[in-house]
Amino acid sequence: QLHEFHGVSDESSPEQVERLRRMLLSMVDDVRAVLIKLAFRVQRLRQLKLAPEEEQQYIARESLDIFAPIANRLGIGQLKWELEDLAFRYLEPTTYRRIAISLDEKIEEREQFIVDVVDKIKQITSAEGIQAEIYGRPKHIYSIWKKMTSKNRGFDELFDVRAVRVVVDSIAEC
């Protein structure tokens, strides 16, 4: 099932892709159908390494242009990140590997680091009697690459491959 959406090619304009995304979302009466399609797409990307390169490129491009933005619009960040990273791995394998090596740890390890930092900050704010909303996330490989290209910087010039936010009520609490 190489071409799930006929008419979408590497030469498709952003406007055409956006129209297709809107059309797909409007055609679905039940969001569960979209969620199932997104889950199938993630699974397809996970198993794509055995497919011919042309198919890898097509599925990866389609995933990045159509499926990841749909996941984002539905507010499913984790799924969006996985779609982007898996697609990016096929579209730019050398760059993907270079960034992955630079990170020098798996996403699970980076996520655990964030959990540990958030827990530590919660302990500190609680001990000080400060009400705070604390959350964080590790950046994923595709978003790191986008930042590197948009800012024209190397990996070693980025200081935010992990992000933790602490929201408090006043400047004094900050």
Side-chain angles (χ1 to χ4, degrees):
Q1 193 176 9
L2 173 58
H3 299 286
E4 292 176 349
F5 293 98
H6 301 287
V8 177
S9 68
D10 291 337
E11 296 84 33
S12 292
S13 72
E15 294 83 17
Q16 289 171 312
V17 170
E18 180 61 26
R19 278 195 299 275
L20 180 58
R21 252 188 254 134
R22 276 197 223 126
M23 181 184 71
L24 287 172
L25 282 174
S26 69
M27 288 175 24
V28 178
D29 292 330
D30 190 344
V31 75
R32 291 176 294 185
V34 176
L35 295 174
I36 291 168
K37 187 67 175 167
L38 290 171
F40 277 127
R41 179 48 61 121
V42 169
Q43 189 61 30
R44 179 80 174 104
L45 282 166
R46 287 176 181 164
Q47 297 171 341
L48 199 54
K49 62 182 125 193
L50 301 176
E53 185 177 347
E54 180 182 319
E55 184 176 351
Q56 290 176 346
Q57 294 289 306
Y58 181 85
I59 298 293
R61 174 58 46 206
E62 188 178 71
S63 300
L64 202 55
D65 290 344
I66 296 170
F67 288 91
I70 288 173
N72 187 48
R73 287 218 177 121
L74 292 174
I76 312 169
Q78 189 68 35
L79 197 54
K80 172 194 172 259
W81 301 334
E82 188 167 1
L83 285 162
E84 287 176 340
D85 277 1
L86 289 168
F88 185 57
R89 186 170 67 189
Y90 293 108
L91 294 171
E92 297 284 342
T94 305
T95 305
Y96 179 92
R97 276 192 296 278
R98 191 177 73 236
I99 294 171
I101 289 168
S102 296
L103 285 171
D104 196 33
E105 51 187 357
K106 296 192 181 312
I107 187 73
E108 294 85 8
E109 293 167 344
R110 292 185 293 134
E111 286 173 345
Q112 187 58 52
F113 176 85
I114 295 295
V115 167
D116 294 344
V117 168
V118 166
D119 285 346
K120 183 67 174 168
I121 294 172
K122 282 181 180 177
Q123 291 172 11
I124 293 168
T125 55
S126 178
E128 294 295 324
I130 297 172
Q131 290 288 343
E133 183 179 330
I134 307 161
Y135 53 94
R137 65 176 175 83
K139 286 206 172 173
H140 62 289
I141 292 174
Y142 181 72
S143 71
I144 292 169
W145 174 78
K146 279 178 44 180
K147 183 156 223 171
M148 288 169 61
T149 55
S150 71
K151 303 272 187 195
N152 198 24
R153 300 216 169 134
F155 181 86
D156 57 334
E157 297 175 277
L158 298 180
F159 297 105
D160 59 347
V161 294
R162 297 179 180 101
V164 174
R165 287 200 177 130
V166 180
V167 180
V168 293
D169 293 327
S170 70
I171 293 173
E173 288 177 328
C174 185

